[in-house]
Each structure stands twice: as structure tokens, then as C-alpha cells.
Amino acid sequence: EFEKKSIEEAFATSIIFGFPIKETKNEKHLIDLTPFLLRDAHHVAKRLKNNNQGTYKLDKSRNVLWLENTKAFPKNVEFESLLTFVGDPKGRQIVTVAPDANSITIRQHIGFIELPDDNYSPRIFDARSGSFPMSYMDYSTPVWEPIKKQFIYRHRLHKKNPNLKLSEAVEPIVYYLDPGTPEPIRSALLDGASWWNQAFDAIGYKDAFQVKMLPPDADPLDVRYNVIQWVHRSTRGWSYGGSINDPRTGEIIKGHVSLGSLRIRQDFLIAQALMNRPFEKDDQNYQTMLELALARIRQLSAHEVGHTLGFAHNFAASTNSRASVMDYPHPKITLKKDEIDFSEAYATGIGEWDKVTVAYSYSQFDSKTNERKALNTIISKANEKGLRFISDTDARAQGGAHALAHLWDNGKSAASELNNVLKVREKAISNFSKDNIRQNEPYSVLEDVFVPLYFFHRYQTEAATKVVGGLDYNYAVKGDGQLITKVIAVKSQKEALSSVLKTLSAKTLAIPKSKLKLFPPRAYDYSRTRESFSSKTGVAFDPFSAASTSSEMTLQLLLHPERANRLIQQKSLEEKQISLKYVLNEIIDKSFKKSHSDSYLNEVQQLINVQVLQHIMNLAINDK
């Protein structure tokens, strides 16, 4: 008792709000909840200011409870408010989404949710498992044991008959799709999300994971329904897989997926750019493009649902034959008989790694089994198969160093795949023509289609860049026999650098002269957007700025200060390793020491050289 008291008094508490008591009856107090619901709980004004979108404040005369979505359900009560922020817009983002940028009206939602009963057993977190962690500090822990307690997030799941090898669940995990989703996207989302049942079947559950359409009498705000929501935006935005969890145990109470409708249009655009004259004869010849976009949306559905099941990104999966839907998949496009081939663009079904994460999180063990030992066995078997798990911090290009974990990449060798991607890009640019748009569409639309093709190599370049000054390592634990850490071999680093430097070549980045005739000044009401090429030539199309932008993408990754530091460190520990000086000399050899007989190529090279000089100078004065 005294120990509990000492812990309670050791830390601060946060009182969120105070209420005048309106009435008291039989020790029950009546309060007015309205002021609590009409406050800026999401800190919208602060977010807008921090993102340089302007200074706003709540206008109390335009705030009201929104009764349409103020509802009570058996396990949760939901309140919605209509809040209006007034102010002076500074950026472009508000203008694109609000009729009046000086007056932004949003709906804010606050829910009160009943916590589950005590019939749930938390499962211990393991950094190798691919599951999301939750943690707390237990001050009753003996000094010789870790004070930080870690568990995973997961749904409650039990077999009806634990003695059967394959049994139905007492209560299956069911996800419901938003009926506002149109076809054929609806069928694709249902299909992709349902892939997870393959993984539950592999651990002895029959139909334990199900995907259905949301019934007409069900409400997506009801926490008894896991929901896949179709969301519309006018600008870029991520899709999300989130959940409402019991903060005491990590039990997932409700999974909620938000899928952005613009994603499928962007994938369609990529396919449209890669295809050879798709609209030469028929403006309705969109089936191949649609199929590629739908294949991606199936993956996206499975990916975001995976987050709501408790699973983290696995960005090393692409090196294991696309072993997880929790990676970010780049379309795997190849050249077959000198023609672009889409047949392997996206994988189908759940991956081998996904079965490991489901087994770790949801396997049911009997009372005689040592759970920790059984969980270690699941991970050990995955290691023996060569499966790898590396997540966000290690994969992000700006700070990450892992040579096998990247976003939007393919292949065991990042350098080899970059070479392949550059060949596909070159072929697609060679094919590109007026027939990549429909009849009667402005040529400005053709320019918009060309943008994702021109930058098609971007993410594979990020992957190859990370090999330079890169590391190979695992989230190893004592006794598991995994590789702990090692520097990438000199040969691999040189191969990666050689591939990356192709993206600084004028021959790679110069848009062919014959294609420039396809891009006139922008048509009336088809102005440039953030998805367009920038221009320093006024209304005219500017191929130099396109090359400059692309070279900047490469150089800000290759000459990142943390990469430079690693190169210096690696060279100090191993004499044969490449050095920062070596990398700088190679960049200069492929830029300033390059000359072309063609004046157009020479000008493109000059702009690349300007970027090289600027990034070397930036690195020299960077305090990191």
C-alpha cells in the first residue's frame, strides 16, 4: 500500500477539463459536457500555424454540437461537434479543401469507450516479431529485472475447440467495408483484406478472419465493428490503419482503416505512362491500367488491415521474394523481348513473413506449453528460412542505414534493380507519345502523365543510395544466433554507387528532344500543380528544371551528413572500405568532368553540376 502511494505521488497528473455541477441527486452529479466538446481538442489552430498555413482561432458563435453523429451504442458513446476556425490563410493547403480559406469548419469527434473485461492475456513483445509494442514502467519490479514491461497489440481470439488442429474461433475477427466504396474497387478491397485469413488458417483457425460489407443497420462509429473506410481527398495523403486499444493490456478493441481514393488514380497514371501507345486506336483501352491499379489496391487493403491487426512495416520483405504485404511495394516491371511487361507487377496473397507475425501474435497455447519458448521457436524457424524483419527507422532514406530495407523497392540487390528500372524507364520514355492520352485531352494532361514516368527511378535510387556507407544487421537478441551487425562489402558499395551515379548522367536525365514537342505551355484551366514539373522559363516547358529536380533527389540522399559520417567511420575501421573522398571524386568524375558534343546535353549536365556543387557545399557547412 505504501509503495503504491509513493509511486502515485512521484509523477504529475493531467486534469483535462473542469465542470460546474448543475445538479446533484443521490450522490450522482449532473454536468454540462458541451464546453468540453466544443474545445479545440485536436489542436487544429496550432497545427495550422506550425505548418505555416496561417493563424486561426475558434469562433464560438459558429460552434455547435453535431447531433447527426452524436450517438450511444452498447459499448461506446460518441459525441461530434461542428467547429469553425477563422483566420488569415498563408499557405496553399487550406485553399484547396475549403470554400472559404478564411473560415474553416471541421467536425471533431470524441468518444467514451467501455474497457474490456479481464479475460484477456497480454502477449509479450519481441523486437523480432513484427508486432507493434506497448509499454509501461512497473515500479514493483525487483531491481535485478527490467522495469519496462512490453506487450503487443492484438485482437482477442480463442479457439472454440483448442484440441482440434483446425477450429473455428469463439468470436472471429470481422472487418466491415464502407458501403460508399464503388466497384470495382469494392471487390478489390474485400479480396485484399481477406488474404489475412490464409495466415490464421496456417495456425489452426477456420475462418477466424472475415471481411464483409457493413450491414445497412450497422454504424461505423460502433466500436463492435472493425471498419475499412473509403476516404476522399483533393490532395496527396496517406492511407492509415489504426486502432482503439485497451491502454492497460494492448488488446485491440476496434480496428479502423482509412483508404484514400486518390491512391488508385495515381497507380492508374503510372501504368498509363508505362504502356506503349495505350490510346492509339481506342480510348476505352484502359483494362490493363485498371488491373494494375486494382492489384495495388488489393495490396493496400491487406497492408492497412495488417496495421489494425497489430503489425508493423517490414521493409526488408522485398528482398525475400516479396514476403510481406507490410512492405511498401513498387510495381515490378520488366523488359521481355524488349517490351515492357506488367505480369509480375504486384504479388497476390499473404506473404510468408505475414504468417510469422500472425503466428507470433495469435497462436493459442495450452497451459502445459512454455509460451515464451514457443514464441522463440516461431521466430527461430522464420530466421532459418532467411526471412528478415526491419521496420521504419532503419528503412527511411534520410537517416536509415540498412542496405536491405527500403521503401518502394524490389530485388535482393538494390543496385541491380536500379539498373533494371532505368532500362524500363528508358524504354517507356522512348515509347511515350501522344497516344498515352485519350482523344480530345489537352497535351497538358500528357505532361502530367509523363511526370511519374520521368521520376520512375526515384525510390529504387533511394534504395541503392542506402547501400553506400550502409550496414547489414538484425534486431538480434542474445542466444538467437542471428547476424548482429556488419558493414556492407566494398564490392557491393561500389556497385551501388556506380548505379546511383547513372541518375546524375545527362543522358539519363535529359528528356529526348523528340519528346519536347509533346509539351506545349499549359492549356487554359490546366495550370501547374504540386504534381507538375517546375519551370524557370515562364509558360514554356522546362526540361532543365526537370533534370535539376531529379539530380537533387539523388544528391540530397547520397550526400546526407549521416552517410558521410558513416563513410569516414567505416574507412577508419577498415582500410579497404570506400571513403567519403572516394565518393566525392566519383561524383565529380561523373559530373564536372563529363562533357558532351551536343549543346542540349551540355546544358543539362551544367545544371546537374550546379546541384553537385551546391550539395557538396551544403555538406561542408552542415553542423552534423
Side-chain angles (χ1 to χ4, degrees), residues 376-438:
N376 274 334
T377 299
I378 290 170
I379 294 173
S380 296
K381 287 182 178 179
N383 295 341
E384 290 168 8
K385 291 179 181 179
L387 296 174
R388 306 287 293 271
F389 167 64
I390 302 292
S391 200
D392 289 73
T393 307
D394 308 280
R396 303 286 168 175
Q398 292 291 352
H402 205 292
L404 298 177
H406 320 292
L407 287 66
W408 313 111
D409 74 310
N410 278 309
K412 284 188 176 295
S413 166
S416 296
E417 183 60 20
L418 176 56
N419 291 334
N420 174 62
V421 165
L422 289 172
K423 288 176 183 176
V424 170
R425 175 184 178 273
E426 182 182 17
K427 180 65 178 178
I429 289 176
S430 173
N431 291 339
F432 197 79
S433 73
K434 65 181 181 180
D435 294 320
N436 284 81
I437 57 172
R438 297 172 178 83

Side-chain angles (χ1 to χ4, degrees), residues 308-381:
T308 71
L309 291 172
F311 306 142
H313 289 134
N314 183 0
F315 290 126
S318 53
T319 63
N320 289 118
S321 301
R322 302 192 281 192
S324 176
V325 297
M326 301 313 296
D327 204 333
Y328 282 176
H330 194 276
K332 189 176 180 182
I333 310 297
T334 58
L335 287 176
K336 291 185 178 178
K337 297 181 180 178
D338 202 36
E339 292 296 327
I340 292 176
D341 183 78
F342 293 84
S343 61
E344 299 178 72
Y346 291 108
T348 302
I350 218 69
E352 285 303 305
W353 173 256
D354 303 320
K355 293 178 181 178
V356 174
T357 55
V358 168
Y360 185 94
S361 295
Y362 290 97
S363 290
Q364 184 172 335
F365 305 109
D366 58 41
S367 57
K368 297 177 182 178
T369 301
N370 182 318
E371 184 169 304
R372 187 61 189 268
K373 188 175 180 180
L375 294 172
N376 274 334
T377 299
I378 290 170
I379 294 173
S380 296
K381 287 182 178 179

Side-chain angles (χ1 to χ4, degrees), residues 512-525:
K513 294 177 186 178
S514 61
K515 306 302 175 183
L516 297 180
K517 298 175 183 178
L518 297 171
F519 309 130
R522 305 290 297 189
Y524 178 61
D525 204 33

